[in-house]
Each structure stands twice: as structure tokens, then as C-alpha cells.
Amino acid sequence: MEKILIIEDEDRILMGLEDDLRFEGYDVASAKDGLQGLTMAKEKAYDLIILDLMLPKLNGFEVCKQLRQAGIATPILMLTAKSQEVDKVLGLELGADDYVTKPFSPRELLARVKALLRRTQSNLSTSALFHFGDFEIDFKKYEARKSGRQFHLTALEFDLLRLFIQHPNEVLSRDFILDKIWGEEVYVNNRTVDTHVAQLRKKIEDDPANPKYIVGVRGVGYKFVPTI
Ligand code: CA
């Protein structure tokens, strides 16, 4: 299930968005000011962020800028008012991916959300070859090499590594990893994530006890650091 974070301070708009997106099957979280939104977006990985421009505590520009500076590449759909023509462009320059002008129809917004999610997902699936450190990972052929030498990863380890690579420098919670890799399967729990991360570390870390690529974040989950 795709996770969407809405950062919007107007109750009426927020509740409308929450209802519409939940009805479409998205997992929705929300924040009512910029600071709370920024914190949530840094703590947990989302597939999309809907970000209002005029927000208390920290405005949408700042939230967007600080997320990108933190290396968080989650697609951002900006909500702007009609009078903010100039701001629109600025919003995109700051790293927003698209914008919708208020007032918008639910149908228009849903179309943008779907298009944005589709675009980012197809981008990810086309970049099949990924490099980090001495590693080269080919996600199309399911081949992994270290310093040119092939080594074995299971299909699940490939999926896990791909998830980390898709969210560089982001802390992924165990719940998020479970949901993305195992989906609806009910016999897995947080321990399962730890077990498989430990196995993956044995294969890619020089010192699995002191990992430099897949770093543990106490009480939350794991973070992939793509050291060059
Ligand atoms: Ca607002």
C-alpha cells in the first residue's frame, strides 16, 4: 500500500484529502504545520508528500528545501493558491515535483497523485544498474558484483537492497520495510526484517558488526548510506 503524507493546515481541505485518498486505497498520514510535517517526513519513508505552501511554523518552501537538503527524494506535490503564480515556479525550483492550484477538484488531485507515483516508480525500475562503494548491482539480471567479482544474493536480498537504494540516507522503519517487502503476509514480524538485514550485511559489509552501508537507527529501523 502506498503511503502518502499530507501537510496542510486547513481542516476542511485536509479532511477532504484524507477521505479521498483513503477511499482510493492509500495509507494516509497527516501533519497540520510545517515543522511537524518535516519531522514526520524525516522519521518515516513515504511514497508521496502533498505539501501546502502557506503553513504555520515552517512554510512549504522551507519544508521542501530542508527535505531535499537532507537527501530525501520523495516526490512532492505542492498545493498553492491562485495568487501565488510566482511561487509556483519557485516551488518547483526548490525540488517540488508538481503543483496543484487551490481550489482543486478531488478528481484533478487524484489524477496528479497517480501520475506522480507512476512517474517515480517507472524511473526507479528503469535504472537497473546501481553502483555504491565497490559494488555493482544489476536489478534486471539479478546480478551482484563486488570489485567486478560476482557474488550471490537471494531474490529477497535483492528486493531488500533495492528498497534501501530507492531511499538513500532515509531512515526506514521496520514496519515500512515489512510492508514493502512482505506486504500482506501475516507470519512475518519485525524480527524478520532484522534477520534479513543481518544476512544482507554479511554479504555486503566488510565488518557486519560495524556496518557502513546499512546502518541501524536505534528504536526505528535502518538507513542505507551509499558511500562512494
Ligand atoms: Ca495553508
Side-chain angles (χ1 to χ4, degrees):
M1 195 193 289
E2 284 155 320
K3 292 182 163 53
I4 299 182
L5 173 64
I6 310 170
I7 311 174
E8 165 65 79
D9 59 316
E10 280 168 74
D11 280 327
R12 189 180 49 84
I13 297 179
L14 178 59
M15 287 192 290
L17 282 172
E18 282 176 334
D19 284 350
D20 291 340
L21 292 168
R22 286 199 178 115
F23 184 76
E24 290 292 312
Y26 296 109
D27 186 351
V28 183
S30 62
K32 290 173 88 172
D33 68 67
L35 211 54
Q36 190 198 0
L38 181 66
T39 308
M40 286 174 75
K42 280 179 167 176
E43 277 173 356
K44 217 174 136 185
Y46 294 92
D47 297 290
L48 178 78
I49 298 170
I50 298 177
L51 176 62
D52 186 32
L53 191 54
M54 301 305 285
L55 287 167
K57 292 189 185 167
L58 203 62
N59 69 37
F61 291 143
E62 272 304 312
V63 175
C64 194
K65 201 168 86 186
Q66 292 193 30
L67 281 176
R68 295 308 187 230
Q69 279 170 355
I72 294 170
T74 310
I76 294 175
L77 179 63
M78 277 269 203
L79 303 180
T80 67
K82 264 237 152 59
S83 56
Q84 294 161 332
E85 292 294 326
V86 186
D87 296 347
K88 277 182 193 171
V89 185
L90 236 146
L92 293 174
E93 274 177 5
L94 277 175
D97 298 86
D98 201 0
Y99 64 87
V100 172
T101 310
K102 289 178 181 176
F104 50 82
S105 71
R107 193 205 291 233
E108 181 192 357
L109 185 105
L110 280 173
R112 296 292 186 87
V113 165
K114 282 180 185 162
L116 206 49
L117 285 170
R118 213 166 37 232
R119 206 164 79 207
T120 40
Q121 272 149 12
S122 63
N123 277 347
L124 291 172
S125 59
T126 48
S127 53
L129 210 57
F130 188 85
H131 294 90
F132 66 96
D134 300 329
F135 293 92
E136 183 184 82
I137 314 290
D138 187 330
F139 287 105
K140 246 179 202 156
K141 295 183 187 159
Y142 280 74
E143 284 175 7
R145 279 179 211 85
K146 187 185 183 185
S147 308
R149 246 199 221 148
Q150 202 166 325
F151 66 99
H152 182 257
L153 289 178
T154 65
L156 197 138
E157 287 160 356
F158 269 108
D159 289 345
L160 192 55
L161 187 55
R162 173 164 35 205
L163 182 67
F164 280 120
I165 286 171
Q166 285 170 346
H167 298 276
N169 300 309
E170 257 180 75
V171 181
L172 304 184
S173 71
R174 289 181 177 80
D175 283 340
F176 179 82
I177 298 169
L178 268 182
D179 187 50
K180 289 288 172 186
I181 304 291
W182 286 274
E184 304 293 302
E185 292 175 39
V186 288
Y187 55 87
V188 290
N189 58 38
N190 284 349
R191 273 283 168 77
T192 314
V193 174
D194 295 335
T195 308
H196 286 278
V197 167
Q199 279 172 8
L200 183 58
R201 275 176 172 164
K202 278 185 201 157
K203 295 183 177 181
I204 66 168
E205 300 283 359
D206 292 330
D207 179 5
N210 294 294
K212 64 171 186 176
Y213 295 118
I214 301 175
V215 182
V217 180
R218 192 184 285 261
V220 187
Y222 298 97
K223 181 167 83 170
F224 175 66
V225 185
T227 315
I228 306 300

Short mmCIF file of all heavy atoms in Angstrom, two decimals, residues 139-170:
data_model
loop_
_atom_site.label_atom_id
_atom_site.label_comp_id
_atom_site.label_asym_id
_atom_site.label_seq_id
_atom_site.Cartn_x
_atom_site.Cartn_y
_atom_site.Cartn_z
N PHE A 139 19.73 -4.92 -11.16
CA PHE A 139 18.43 -5.39 -10.67
C PHE A 139 17.59 -6.05 -11.76
O PHE A 139 16.59 -6.68 -11.47
CB PHE A 139 17.66 -4.23 -10.03
CG PHE A 139 18.23 -3.83 -8.70
CD1 PHE A 139 18.97 -2.67 -8.58
CD2 PHE A 139 18.04 -4.62 -7.58
CE1 PHE A 139 19.51 -2.31 -7.35
CE2 PHE A 139 18.57 -4.27 -6.36
CZ PHE A 139 19.31 -3.10 -6.25
N LYS A 140 17.99 -5.88 -13.01
CA LYS A 140 17.26 -6.54 -14.08
C LYS A 140 17.69 -7.99 -14.21
O LYS A 140 16.88 -8.89 -14.35
CB LYS A 140 17.47 -5.80 -15.41
CG LYS A 140 16.18 -5.17 -15.91
CD LYS A 140 16.38 -4.43 -17.20
CE LYS A 140 15.25 -3.41 -17.34
NZ LYS A 140 15.62 -2.30 -18.20
N LYS A 141 19.00 -8.19 -14.16
CA LYS A 141 19.53 -9.56 -14.31
C LYS A 141 19.68 -10.26 -12.96
O LYS A 141 20.09 -11.42 -12.91
CB LYS A 141 20.90 -9.50 -14.99
CG LYS A 141 20.86 -8.99 -16.42
CD LYS A 141 22.25 -9.06 -17.01
CE LYS A 141 22.35 -8.41 -18.37
NZ LYS A 141 23.74 -8.03 -18.69
N TYR A 142 19.40 -9.55 -11.89
CA TYR A 142 19.63 -10.10 -10.55
C TYR A 142 21.07 -10.59 -10.41
O TYR A 142 21.32 -11.74 -10.08
CB TYR A 142 18.62 -11.21 -10.22
CG TYR A 142 17.28 -10.67 -9.78
CD1 TYR A 142 16.40 -10.12 -10.71
CD2 TYR A 142 16.89 -10.68 -8.45
CE1 TYR A 142 15.18 -9.59 -10.33
CE2 TYR A 142 15.68 -10.15 -8.04
CZ TYR A 142 14.83 -9.60 -8.98
OH TYR A 142 13.63 -9.07 -8.59
N GLU A 143 22.01 -9.66 -10.70
CA GLU A 143 23.42 -9.99 -10.55
C GLU A 143 24.08 -8.97 -9.63
O GLU A 143 23.82 -7.77 -9.73
CB GLU A 143 24.14 -9.96 -11.91
CG GLU A 143 23.84 -11.18 -12.76
CD GLU A 143 24.44 -11.08 -14.16
OE1 GLU A 143 25.19 -10.12 -14.43
OE2 GLU A 143 24.14 -11.97 -14.97
N ALA A 144 24.92 -9.46 -8.75
CA ALA A 144 25.62 -8.57 -7.83
C ALA A 144 27.12 -8.81 -7.96
O ALA A 144 27.57 -9.96 -8.02
CB ALA A 144 25.16 -8.84 -6.41
N ARG A 145 27.88 -7.73 -8.02
CA ARG A 145 29.35 -7.86 -8.11
C ARG A 145 30.02 -6.97 -7.09
O ARG A 145 29.60 -5.86 -6.84
CB ARG A 145 29.84 -7.44 -9.51
CG ARG A 145 29.70 -8.54 -10.55
CD ARG A 145 30.16 -8.09 -11.92
NE ARG A 145 29.40 -8.79 -12.93
CZ ARG A 145 28.21 -8.41 -13.38
NH1 ARG A 145 27.68 -7.27 -12.93
NH2 ARG A 145 27.55 -9.12 -14.25
N LYS A 146 31.10 -7.48 -6.54
CA LYS A 146 31.95 -6.65 -5.69
C LYS A 146 33.33 -6.62 -6.34
O LYS A 146 33.92 -7.68 -6.60
CB LYS A 146 32.05 -7.23 -4.29
CG LYS A 146 32.80 -6.27 -3.37
CD LYS A 146 33.02 -6.84 -2.00
CE LYS A 146 33.73 -5.75 -1.17
NZ LYS A 146 34.09 -6.21 0.15
N SER A 147 33.84 -5.43 -6.64
CA SER A 147 35.10 -5.25 -7.35
C SER A 147 35.15 -6.14 -8.59
O SER A 147 36.17 -6.78 -8.87
CB SER A 147 36.29 -5.55 -6.44
OG SER A 147 36.19 -4.82 -5.25
N GLY A 148 34.05 -6.22 -9.30
CA GLY A 148 33.99 -6.98 -10.55
C GLY A 148 33.69 -8.46 -10.36
O GLY A 148 33.44 -9.18 -11.32
N ARG A 149 33.75 -8.95 -9.14
CA ARG A 149 33.50 -10.38 -8.87
C ARG A 149 32.06 -10.62 -8.46
O ARG A 149 31.57 -9.99 -7.53
CB ARG A 149 34.40 -10.82 -7.73
CG ARG A 149 35.40 -11.82 -8.22
CD ARG A 149 35.97 -12.62 -7.09
NE ARG A 149 37.39 -12.76 -7.35
CZ ARG A 149 38.33 -12.83 -6.45
NH1 ARG A 149 38.03 -12.79 -5.18
NH2 ARG A 149 39.59 -12.96 -6.80
N GLN A 150 31.44 -11.56 -9.15
CA GLN A 150 30.03 -11.83 -8.86
C GLN A 150 29.87 -12.58 -7.54
O GLN A 150 30.69 -13.43 -7.19
CB GLN A 150 29.42 -12.65 -10.00
CG GLN A 150 27.91 -12.51 -10.07
CD GLN A 150 27.33 -13.05 -11.37
OE1 GLN A 150 27.95 -12.93 -12.42
NE2 GLN A 150 26.16 -13.64 -11.31
N PHE A 151 28.85 -12.22 -6.79
CA PHE A 151 28.52 -12.97 -5.57
C PHE A 151 27.01 -13.14 -5.50
O PHE A 151 26.27 -12.47 -6.20
CB PHE A 151 29.08 -12.28 -4.31
CG PHE A 151 28.45 -10.94 -4.01
CD1 PHE A 151 27.44 -10.82 -3.06
CD2 PHE A 151 28.87 -9.80 -4.69
CE1 PHE A 151 26.86 -9.59 -2.79
CE2 PHE A 151 28.28 -8.56 -4.42
CZ PHE A 151 27.30 -8.46 -3.47
N HIS A 152 26.59 -14.06 -4.65
CA HIS A 152 25.18 -14.44 -4.65
C HIS A 152 24.33 -13.66 -3.65
O HIS A 152 24.69 -13.51 -2.49
CB HIS A 152 25.04 -15.95 -4.36
CG HIS A 152 23.62 -16.41 -4.39
ND1 HIS A 152 22.91 -16.65 -3.23
CD2 HIS A 152 22.76 -16.64 -5.41
CE1 HIS A 152 21.67 -17.01 -3.55
NE2 HIS A 152 21.56 -17.02 -4.87
N LEU A 153 23.22 -13.15 -4.16
CA LEU A 153 22.19 -12.59 -3.28
C LEU A 153 20.89 -13.33 -3.60
O LEU A 153 20.63 -13.64 -4.76
CB LEU A 153 21.96 -11.09 -3.57
CG LEU A 153 23.02 -10.06 -3.16
CD1 LEU A 153 22.58 -8.67 -3.60
CD2 LEU A 153 23.26 -10.08 -1.66
N THR A 154 20.10 -13.61 -2.59
CA THR A 154 18.79 -14.22 -2.84
C THR A 154 17.85 -13.17 -3.43
O THR A 154 18.13 -11.96 -3.36
CB THR A 154 18.16 -14.74 -1.53
OG1 THR A 154 17.88 -13.61 -0.70
CG2 THR A 154 19.08 -15.70 -0.80
N ALA A 155 16.75 -13.62 -4.00
CA ALA A 155 15.78 -12.68 -4.58
C ALA A 155 15.28 -11.71 -3.52
O ALA A 155 15.12 -10.52 -3.77
CB ALA A 155 14.61 -13.46 -5.19
N LEU A 156 15.09 -12.23 -2.31
CA LEU A 156 14.62 -11.36 -1.23
C LEU A 156 15.67 -10.32 -0.85
O LEU A 156 15.37 -9.16 -0.57
CB LEU A 156 14.25 -12.21 -0.02
CG LEU A 156 13.38 -11.48 1.00
CD1 LEU A 156 12.28 -12.39 1.51
CD2 LEU A 156 14.18 -10.93 2.14
N GLU A 157 16.94 -10.75 -0.87
CA GLU A 157 18.01 -9.79 -0.57
C GLU A 157 18.12 -8.72 -1.64
O GLU A 157 18.40 -7.55 -1.35
CB GLU A 157 19.34 -10.54 -0.38
CG GLU A 157 19.39 -11.29 0.94
CD GLU A 157 20.43 -12.41 0.98
OE1 GLU A 157 21.09 -12.66 -0.05
OE2 GLU A 157 20.56 -13.03 2.04
N PHE A 158 17.90 -9.11 -2.90
CA PHE A 158 17.86 -8.11 -3.97
C PHE A 158 16.75 -7.10 -3.72
O PHE A 158 16.94 -5.89 -3.84
CB PHE A 158 17.61 -8.78 -5.33
CG PHE A 158 18.87 -9.16 -6.05
CD1 PHE A 158 19.25 -10.49 -6.16
CD2 PHE A 158 19.67 -8.19 -6.65
CE1 PHE A 158 20.41 -10.85 -6.83
CE2 PHE A 158 20.83 -8.53 -7.31
CZ PHE A 158 21.21 -9.87 -7.41
N ASP A 159 15.56 -7.61 -3.35
CA ASP A 159 14.43 -6.71 -3.10
C ASP A 159 14.71 -5.77 -1.93
O ASP A 159 14.40 -4.58 -1.99
CB ASP A 159 13.16 -7.53 -2.78
CG ASP A 159 12.62 -8.24 -4.02
OD1 ASP A 159 13.05 -7.86 -5.14
OD2 ASP A 159 11.81 -9.16 -3.88
N LEU A 160 15.32 -6.32 -0.91
CA LEU A 160 15.63 -5.52 0.27
C LEU A 160 16.66 -4.43 -0.07
O LEU A 160 16.50 -3.26 0.27
CB LEU A 160 16.17 -6.46 1.36
CG LEU A 160 16.32 -5.93 2.78
CD1 LEU A 160 15.01 -5.36 3.28
CD2 LEU A 160 16.80 -7.05 3.70
N LEU A 161 17.69 -4.84 -0.80
CA LEU A 161 18.72 -3.89 -1.19
C LEU A 161 18.15 -2.80 -2.11
O LEU A 161 18.48 -1.63 -1.99
CB LEU A 161 19.87 -4.64 -1.89
CG LEU A 161 21.13 -3.83 -2.22
CD1 LEU A 161 21.71 -3.14 -1.00
CD2 LEU A 161 22.18 -4.73 -2.86
N ARG A 162 17.27 -3.22 -3.00
CA ARG A 162 16.65 -2.24 -3.90
C ARG A 162 15.83 -1.22 -3.11
O ARG A 162 15.87 -0.03 -3.39
CB ARG A 162 15.76 -2.94 -4.93
CG ARG A 162 14.97 -1.92 -5.76
CD ARG A 162 14.38 -2.49 -7.02
NE ARG A 162 13.96 -3.86 -6.87
CZ ARG A 162 13.85 -4.72 -7.89
NH1 ARG A 162 14.14 -4.34 -9.09
NH2 ARG A 162 13.47 -5.96 -7.67
N LEU A 163 15.11 -1.70 -2.12
CA LEU A 163 14.31 -0.78 -1.29
C LEU A 163 15.22 0.26 -0.60
O LEU A 163 14.93 1.45 -0.58
CB LEU A 163 13.51 -1.58 -0.24
CG LEU A 163 12.60 -0.76 0.66
CD1 LEU A 163 11.45 -0.16 -0.14
CD2 LEU A 163 12.05 -1.62 1.79
N PHE A 164 16.35 -0.22 -0.09
CA PHE A 164 17.29 0.71 0.56
C PHE A 164 17.84 1.71 -0.47
O PHE A 164 17.94 2.91 -0.20
CB PHE A 164 18.44 -0.05 1.20
CG PHE A 164 18.10 -0.64 2.54
CD1 PHE A 164 18.17 -2.00 2.77
CD2 PHE A 164 17.69 0.18 3.58
CE1 PHE A 164 17.85 -2.55 4.00
CE2 PHE A 164 17.37 -0.34 4.83
CZ PHE A 164 17.45 -1.71 5.04
N ILE A 165 18.19 1.19 -1.64
CA ILE A 165 18.77 2.05 -2.67
C ILE A 165 17.76 3.10 -3.15
O ILE A 165 18.12 4.23 -3.47
CB ILE A 165 19.28 1.18 -3.85
CG1 ILE A 165 20.57 0.47 -3.42
CG2 ILE A 165 19.50 2.01 -5.11
CD1 ILE A 165 21.07 -0.59 -4.40
N GLN A 166 16.49 2.74 -3.14
CA GLN A 166 15.45 3.70 -3.56
C GLN A 166 15.25 4.79 -2.51
O GLN A 166 14.62 5.81 -2.80
CB GLN A 166 14.12 2.96 -3.80
CG GLN A 166 14.12 2.17 -5.09
CD GLN A 166 12.91 1.26 -5.21
OE1 GLN A 166 12.21 1.01 -4.24
NE2 GLN A 166 12.67 0.75 -6.41
N HIS A 167 15.74 4.56 -1.30
CA HIS A 167 15.57 5.56 -0.24
C HIS A 167 16.92 5.87 0.41
O HIS A 167 17.11 5.58 1.59
CB HIS A 167 14.60 5.04 0.82
CG HIS A 167 13.22 4.78 0.29
ND1 HIS A 167 12.27 5.76 0.17
CD2 HIS A 167 12.65 3.64 -0.18
CE1 HIS A 167 11.15 5.22 -0.32
NE2 HIS A 167 11.36 3.94 -0.55
N PRO A 168 17.86 6.43 -0.37
CA PRO A 168 19.19 6.66 0.21
C PRO A 168 19.14 7.66 1.36
O PRO A 168 18.37 8.64 1.31
CB PRO A 168 19.98 7.24 -0.97
CG PRO A 168 18.96 7.79 -1.90
CD PRO A 168 17.75 6.93 -1.74
N ASN A 169 19.92 7.40 2.37
CA ASN A 169 20.06 8.30 3.53
C ASN A 169 18.76 8.55 4.27
O ASN A 169 18.64 9.52 5.02
CB ASN A 169 20.68 9.65 3.12
CG ASN A 169 22.05 9.47 2.51
OD1 ASN A 169 22.89 8.81 3.09
ND2 ASN A 169 22.25 10.02 1.33
N GLU A 170 17.78 7.69 4.04
CA GLU A 170 16.50 7.84 4.73
C GLU A 170 16.37 6.74 5.76
O GLU A 170 16.71 5.60 5.49
CB GLU A 170 15.35 7.64 3.72
CG GLU A 170 14.69 8.90 3.25
CD GLU A 170 13.58 8.54 2.27
OE1 GLU A 170 12.53 8.07 2.71
OE2 GLU A 170 13.78 8.72 1.05
#
